[in-house]
Amino acid sequence: MNKFILIPFFCFLSLSIRAQVNPSDQSIKFIRSSEKLTPLKGVLDLMNTNNSFYPSLQTIEIEDQNEAGRDTTEPPKSDHEPSFFVEDKPAGTGYKTETVEAPYVFSEFNGFSDGAYTPPDDNIAVSTAGYVVSVTNSIYRIFAPNSSTQLKSYDFDGALKSTFPSITGVYYDPRVIYDAESDRFVIVVFNGISSTTSSIVVLFSKTNNPTDGWNAYSFSGDMFSKSEWSDYPDIGITKSDLFITSNMFNDLSNYVEPGLLQINKSTGYSGSTLKSRTWEAVTNFSVQTTLFTLVTASPGLGTDYGDTMYFVSNIFGGGKQVNLLTLSGNEGSAGAALTQKTINYGLTTKFSSPNS
């Protein structure tokens, strides 16, 4: 899928952090759905499957609808290193320098080589034991540590078609994450480009070894049953839950609202009936002018947020504000809440909207 403006998004974030911020009073309320129970569809062996096809470029994509109005003015340049990338220091002192140990390559293996197919739309996760799960477009690869055999690439269609026979479109936008706390992997992949065909497939590794099998589940991409479909996914994890975010489009391919799915991880890892809830933004003004892509901020290795997840969102169409969202409470918490704070920043340059 077309994610060619990912880098400007990070520039957008770093510049906004450097700016002086002032929280606004404009807030959004969110509706949490009742708990949904999704049965296990099957246990997959991703290592022993026959490829159905060699996937090519997925050309159907929601483009940046603000492209024509994009402000191409270059941001102001500075002769000084941005403060965002420098540790805090007393006024009048120089920059601190340290000797960094050179990286050491302990293992090598061949990555994907899918010819001229672009964009790659790739994602990768590495476990503490050294297992690597790599995905790009409609294909995936699993690398086992200390293996002398380079594994071939498999496609999601060949691996999933017997478990999900009703899902017949092209799989796209795969995401993978390693859950360090549970020592497991999770893969999320989308399918379908209309409200009637949109699907979200979620795979949980049964053990810390991704070659041991995966518990498979599927959700409708029409998260709120409003004739919408999901695109541009992002995933994140907390102590108890998996989060899947998306941009929701109507069948005319117009952006409508962000989507957020909260899933209990333990039910997925055990292969039992999956417990989940959705969150939908409800306002008395247009969500399109307030929330766009929700990007998760998962904890890093060795760090634990508990059952709190953070999200960052920009404004659809570009602008001079960013949203900080905090979701407290796990999927089963009666008092779980999602709150939003709008941060206005004082840059003179207006940035167009990134898609992911």
Side-chain angles (χ1 to χ4, degrees):
M1 299 296 278
N2 193 354
K3 300 297 183 293
F4 57 90
I5 45 182
L6 177 63
I7 293 177
F9 174 58
F10 286 105
C11 297
F12 165 87
L13 282 181
S14 63
L15 287 171
S16 66
I17 293 173
R18 293 171 57 194
Q20 183 177 2
V21 297
N22 296 297
S24 75
D25 294 330
Q26 188 181 55
S27 61
I28 299 174
K29 293 183 178 180
F30 295 87
I31 294 178
R32 184 173 74 148
S33 71
S34 58
E35 187 172 64
K36 180 179 180 180
L37 303 178
T38 303
L40 177 72
K41 290 292 186 179
V43 178
L44 304 179
D45 179 1
L46 295 184
M47 304 306 299
N48 295 289
T49 181
N50 294 320
N51 285 340
S52 292
F53 64 95
Y54 193 77
S56 60
L57 172 64
Q58 175 75 15
T59 57
I60 301 176
E61 179 63 63
I62 303 300
E63 302 291 349
D64 180 4
Q65 299 181 28
N66 194 48
E67 183 72 25
R70 176 177 293 183
D71 188 340
T72 58
T73 306
E74 293 186 4
K77 297 181 178 180
S78 172
D79 295 330
H80 304 288
E81 187 175 356
S83 59
F84 179 64
F85 298 101
V86 181
E87 71 174 66
D88 294 336
K89 57 188 181 301
T93 62
Y95 290 107
K96 179 180 179 181
T97 60
E98 295 181 355
T99 300
V100 179
E101 183 179 354
Y104 173 72
V105 177
F106 62 89
S107 180
E108 296 182 5
F109 62 95
N110 294 328
F112 278 117
S113 177
D114 53 352
Y117 301 134
T118 56
D121 199 6
D122 54 335
N123 212 222
I124 193 169
V126 184
S127 73
T128 53
Y131 290 100
V132 179
V133 180
S134 179
V135 296
T136 182
N137 288 328
S138 299
I139 52 181
Y140 64 90
R141 173 177 286 174
I142 296 174
F143 175 80
N146 304 318
S147 172
S148 59
T149 303
Q150 297 299 323
L151 303 179
K152 69 175 183 178
S153 298
Y154 301 89
D155 67 68
F156 284 107
D157 183 74
L160 303 179
K161 63 180 181 179
S162 62
T163 304
F164 304 106
S166 62
I167 300 178
T168 58
V170 175
Y171 286 96
Y172 63 88
D173 282 11
R175 298 292 181 263
V176 60
I177 194 168
Y178 170 64
D179 181 353
E181 179 146 357
S182 302
D183 195 19
R184 303 289 185 88
F185 289 92
V186 181
I187 294 176
V188 174
V189 61
F190 281 15
N191 192 301
I193 52 173
S194 71
S195 60
T196 57
T197 62
S198 182
S199 298
I200 301 172
V201 170
V202 186
L203 309 177
F204 296 87
S205 66
K206 294 181 61 179
T207 71
N208 61 358
N209 184 340
T211 69
D212 282 344
W214 298 70
N215 298 322
Y217 302 84
S218 68
F219 297 86
S220 169
D222 186 8
M223 284 192 192
F224 311 122
S225 300
K226 294 170 57 178
S227 297
E228 299 169 354
W229 60 282
S230 296
D231 200 358
Y232 297 106
D234 191 48
I235 63 176
I237 51 174
T238 57
K239 185 179 183 66
S240 301
D241 296 328
L242 165 71
F243 295 87
I244 303 173
T245 70
S246 68
N247 287 338
M248 309 299 299
F249 295 87
N250 61 25
D251 285 324
L252 296 176
S253 294
N254 295 318
Y255 170 68
V256 180
E257 59 186 328
L260 174 57
L261 180 61
Q262 183 179 15
I263 300 172
N264 177 273
K265 293 188 310 185
S266 64
T267 54
Y269 293 142
S270 66
S272 55
T273 298
L274 204 61
K275 298 178 180 179
S276 66
R277 299 178 191 268
T278 58
W279 294 83
E280 183 178 14
V282 178
T283 69
N284 57 2
F285 47 89
S286 174
V287 175
Q288 295 181 7
T289 62
T290 310
L291 287 175
F292 195 35
T293 303
L294 299 181
V295 178
T296 61
S298 297
L301 188 65
T303 303
D304 182 11
Y305 290 166
D307 282 329
T308 300
M309 172 56 80
Y310 300 95
F311 307 86
V312 179
S313 170
N314 66 311
I315 306 302
F316 179 72
K320 296 182 178 181
Q321 69 182 47
V322 65
N323 295 289
L324 306 178
L325 292 86
T326 303
L327 198 160
S328 57
N330 59 44
E331 183 275 336
S333 299
L338 178 58
T339 58
Q340 169 264 346
K341 178 181 291 184
T342 301
I343 303 297
N344 298 313
Y345 52 95
L347 291 176
T348 57
T349 301
K350 182 179 178 180
F351 293 84
S352 73
S353 62
N355 282 330
S356 177

